[in-house]
Each structure stands twice: as C-alpha cells, then as structure tokens.
Amino acid sequence: MFGYYFRLGVRSLRRNPALTALMVVTLAVGVAASVSTLTILHMMSSDPIPQKSDRLFVPLIDPGPAKGYTPGERPDDIQITYQDAMNMLKSGQGVRRTAMYGVEASVEPPRREIAPFNMGGLAPTRDFFAMFDVPFDYGQPWTEADEARGADVVVLSRAMADKLFGDVNPVGQRLNLMGFPFTVVGVAAKWKMLPRVYQLQGGSPYATGEEFFIPLATAIRHETQHRGGMSCSANTGPGFAARLASDCTWITAWFETASAGDRADLQSWLDNYAAEQRKLGRLTRNAPNQLFDVQGWMEYTHVVGKDSRLQTWLAFGFLALCLVNTIGLLLAKFSVRAAEIGVRRALGASRAEIFRQFLIETAVVGLVGGVLGLVLAFGALALIRLSSDSMATVAHMDWEMLGLTFVISVGAAIVAGLLPTWRACQVTPAIQLKSQ
C-alpha cells in the first residue's frame, strides 16, 4: 500500500505545478539555510582528533595575583607561564609532552615575483608532531639535536610551501624568516587538525591554521614575540628575558598519556606541582588546578562561540517560517481536491487511508525539496569556501550531515502537512457528492 500511495504522491507533483514548485522551493530554501549553518557548527564543534582526544590533556594553573581574586573566578589567561611550561616538559609525565606558543614572522620569498609578507606560525617542541598525528608530504620534523641547540629550521604547511617554492620538494632549501636564514626540513600535508591547533590555543574558530612551525627553543633564542602579545602579572619592563623570568602567561602545554585512565594520575601530579609552586611564592591564588581533554578544552575556550549558536537558531527560525508558508500552500492544494476525497470516502476509503495517502504525498514533496535543498546547501558552502579562506575547513558537508539533510526536509514536510492532511480527512462525502 505504501508503494501505491508513493506513486500517487509522485504523480500528484504534476497537479498544480506552479503551487507544487512553490512548495518545493520554499522547503528547499529553508532546508538549505538551516543545513548549511548546522554543517558549519557541526564541523567547528566536532572532535578534531578522535583517535586520541581522550589522551591529550591541557593543564591550567592560575598564576595571577591574589589581590582582587574571587574564589571560583575564571583565570585571567587560558595559558601558562614559560617557567611552568619548561617544568612540565621536564616532568616526565605521560608518554609525550609539548609546549607551544603562536608567533608571527616576516618572510622574504625565494621567488622574486612574490613580495615580502608576514605569516602566522607556531613554535612547539618536537613531540607536537607525533602527539597530534601531523602527516608529512615531504621531509620530517626537526631532530632532537636541532631542538637542543635551537637550530634555524622550519616546517611549512603544504599551502605555504607551494606558495613559496611551487609544486616541488623544498626540503633542504633556505628561507629568509625573521631576517635569519632558515632551512626547510619538512612540509606538513593538508591536515584537518591544522586549523584547529590555533583554535585550541584560544584563537579564532575561523582560523585558517598555522602556516609554519619552528622549534620553541629557536623562537626563544631569536626573542620571537608571542602573536597577540603577552599577559604579564608583574611589571617586568620591555626586555624579552625579563618576561621569560616573570609570570607572563603566554604558552600552552600539552600532555599525551598512554591511556585515558591515566588522567587521575596526571591530575594528582598537577595538584602536587601547584602546591610546590605556592610554597615558593609563585602561585598566590588558591585556585583549582584544571586538566582538560581536547573536547573539554574546546568547550572551555569557546571554540564554538555564542554567535555561531545564535546563527544556527536563526537559521532554524527561518526554516520554521518556511514551514508556515508550506502549510498554507498545502492547505490550498488539498482544498481543491475535496471532490476527489469525497468520492473516495463514498467508495469506502477510511479517514485513516486518506490520512496516509496525503501524508505520503506531503513526504514526496519534502523529498524533492530535500534534494533541491541539498543542491542549494552545497552551493552555499562552496560560495562560503571561495569567499573566505578562514571558513574553508569547516564549510564542507560529511555523510552525517548529508543524511540529516533528508531527515530534516522530509520531517519538515510531514510536520507542515499534518494540519492540511487532517483537514482533508474531515471532508463530508455526502456534501461533496451533492455538489458534484
């Protein structure tokens, strides 16, 4: 019976083609708007490294001054001091450890047709690449010896390598970075986690990602300033060395443990470490010591901001408005079929059968609207990617969102068709037969 009613629904699309087209377009636009926005929110909030996100942890201790502090208050900064980061690297906790901070550097391209420019990068320790499963197209991370001596070596993103050197293997080439000759040791492949690293550093959720990586020790040796400046809890003067020695919060540390169950041990170590620093007078706030996994850190740093969620609600509000319009159009379409309904009822069709028939017809309209809405959603996401490089990594649809598109479209059509279908079932056969 379902197949029969489905075929009737397909045939009914040819009835009142203008009205049907208007319903399909109305549903398609509403679905496209909501799904496009929902897709971006879904990609922004999804787990960027699911295979190990529950084994990667960010420690957060509060080195701020005790004066004016209210217990339970959020720390002034979401990063830690250089001294704490170095202590954590030497702690031996977990199977890997890294510390990093965002940098910005001027670059003189080896190709003369490209003018000098600034690019954003990251200064981590070597374990960073293994911790975050960074793939390489060419070369590899710098060596432990490079890291120990703070060598002038650099890993480029694939996009930046292509821009600077063209479509060739640039490993071993020299690059003038920050006024110093750096040697390219590797090229990171296109990697979905790359733009998220800056987000996990507390950056914008629309970040395009880091374009180069240099050793943390190299950045310190060249006195490379933190991108965006440093937040200092003491008056340390302008000197870079003085800032290193002070409690300037400007670095993020990460631990990788052997299993998610090691979190309690790592938290215990962090509490003991903070207690020792309080005895030394470095930590004056009696603030809780926090440990976040990747998803927890994304939530804490508001990678998906309230404005993004507001946009999603607005998109669903627009879908609701489209549903209201669709309800009106369905009422108009079904009302002109009152005579047909009366004849079917007179020949023995029950109200339940009429209800099923018209609801399936409505679902067919929703399915067609879903296909058109999917096309419009793909088009909208493509335009977003072309118009904004910062949205390129999140403005694409996966299979989960593809299925959700059809669920939303058919579900929306069925919801919109409930009232018109119920009204169609209330037709009185005798009145319709008399009028005919």
Side-chain angles (χ1 to χ4, degrees):
M1 188 62 71
F2 176 83
Y4 172 70
Y5 287 149
F6 184 83
R7 290 192 295 272
L8 283 181
V10 173
R11 290 171 56 187
S12 73
L13 293 175
R14 295 194 295 268
R15 296 182 177 179
N16 297 321
L19 199 59
T20 301
L22 195 56
M23 282 191 294
V24 169
V25 171
T26 300
L27 277 175
V29 171
V31 168
S34 58
V35 168
S36 299
T37 309
L38 192 61
T39 296
I40 293 175
L41 181 67
H42 168 71
M43 295 304 297
M44 286 168 55
S45 59
S46 63
D47 191 343
I49 186 166
Q51 68 273 20
K52 59 165 58 174
S53 62
D54 60 347
R55 296 189 287 116
L56 295 174
F57 299 100
V58 184
L60 183 59
I61 54 179
D62 192 350
K67 184 178 180 180
Y69 172 69
T70 302
E73 183 179 58
R74 182 186 174 100
D76 298 329
D77 203 312
I78 60 172
Q79 297 171 318
I80 61 176
T81 69
Y82 174 79
Q83 184 174 342
D84 288 323
M86 295 303 102
N87 290 339
M88 291 177 184
L89 287 179
K90 299 172 185 176
S91 68
Q93 295 296 310
V95 294
R96 293 190 183 96
R97 296 158 299 282
T98 189
M100 64 188 86
Y101 75 100
V103 295
E104 186 171 351
S106 60
V107 57
E108 296 179 23
R111 299 164 65 181
R112 293 184 178 180
E113 65 270 21
I114 303 177
F117 61 92
N118 289 339
M119 61 179 178
L122 196 68
T125 57
R126 187 175 184 272
D127 272 355
F128 164 83
F129 298 98
M131 289 175 67
F132 291 97
D133 294 342
V134 181
F136 277 78
D137 280 338
Y138 304 111
Q140 59 187 356
W142 50 79
T143 65
E144 292 181 1
D146 289 334
E147 186 158 273
R149 62 189 176 91
D152 288 344
V153 291
V154 61
V155 171
L156 298 173
S157 70
R158 182 57 189 268
M160 185 53 61
D162 289 346
K163 178 178 180 179
L164 294 173
F165 296 97
D167 190 17
V168 298
N169 182 355
V171 172
Q173 298 290 326
R174 304 299 287 271
L175 178 65
N176 198 319
L177 196 65
M178 301 180 293
F180 301 95
F182 277 69
T183 301
V184 179
V185 296
V187 175
K190 291 182 179 180
W191 169 50
K192 71 175 184 178
M193 182 67 185
L194 185 60
R196 310 296 285 276
V197 172
Y198 182 47
Q199 297 173 17
L200 295 174
Q201 288 285 103
S204 166
Y206 305 111
T208 57
E210 312 302 346
E211 298 167 315
F212 73 96
F213 304 85
I214 59 175
L216 176 63
T218 303
I220 298 299
R221 183 170 62 82
H222 287 308
E223 299 189 356
T224 309
Q225 297 293 327
H226 181 276
R227 181 173 53 193
M230 303 178 187
S231 173
C232 298
S233 60
N235 184 12
T236 61
F240 190 84
R243 293 182 178 182
L244 286 182
S246 74
D247 285 337
C248 287
T249 50
W250 59 309
I251 284 187
T252 302
W254 286 80
F255 291 95
E256 180 183 346
T257 60
S259 68
D262 294 333
R263 178 173 187 161
D265 293 337
L266 185 57
Q267 180 70 60
S268 178
W269 174 86
L270 184 63
D271 292 338
N272 291 334
Y273 171 78
E276 291 176 0
Q277 298 306 307
R278 289 192 181 94
K279 290 178 182 178
L280 295 174
R282 288 192 59 247
L283 300 180
T284 57
R285 290 184 177 183
N286 189 23
N289 312 301
Q290 303 180 77
L291 198 64
F292 300 91
D293 59 16
V294 172
Q295 289 289 84
W297 188 241
M298 290 175 63
E299 181 178 350
Y300 186 78
T301 55
H302 303 299
V303 167
V304 181
K306 293 181 179 179
D307 55 338
S308 299
R309 299 185 187 278
L310 177 60
Q311 291 171 10
T312 303
W313 283 112
L314 289 175
F316 277 111
F318 181 70
L319 176 60
L321 181 62
C322 291
L323 288 183
V324 172
N325 290 330
T326 304
I327 291 173
L329 294 171
L330 284 171
L331 285 171
K333 182 175 182 178
F334 289 168
S335 64
V336 299
R337 298 174 62 184
E340 172 195 335
I341 297 170
V343 171
R344 286 209 59 204
R345 289 293 312 282
L347 293 176
S350 66
R351 287 184 176 179
E353 290 173 330
I354 298 296
F355 188 86
R356 282 195 296 270
Q357 174 191 345
F358 279 74
L359 202 60
I360 291 173
E361 288 187 17
T362 302
V364 171
V365 172
L367 188 61
V368 176
V371 173
L372 181 57
L374 184 62
V375 173
L376 294 178
F378 272 117
L381 294 173
L383 287 176
I384 292 172
R385 289 195 298 270
L386 290 174
S387 62
S388 175
D389 290 339
S390 63
M391 295 295 289
T393 59
V394 295
H396 66 273
M397 189 176 295
D398 58 11
W399 287 105
E400 184 177 344
M401 296 306 301
L402 187 66
L404 184 61
T405 300
F406 288 102
V407 171
I408 289 178
S409 60
V410 176
I414 290 176
V415 170
L418 288 176
L419 177 61
T421 301
W422 179 81
R423 288 283 300 273
C425 295
Q426 307 308 309
V427 170
T428 303
I431 295 177
Q432 294 300 320
L433 291 176
K434 183 180 180 180
S435 65
Q436 296 300 315

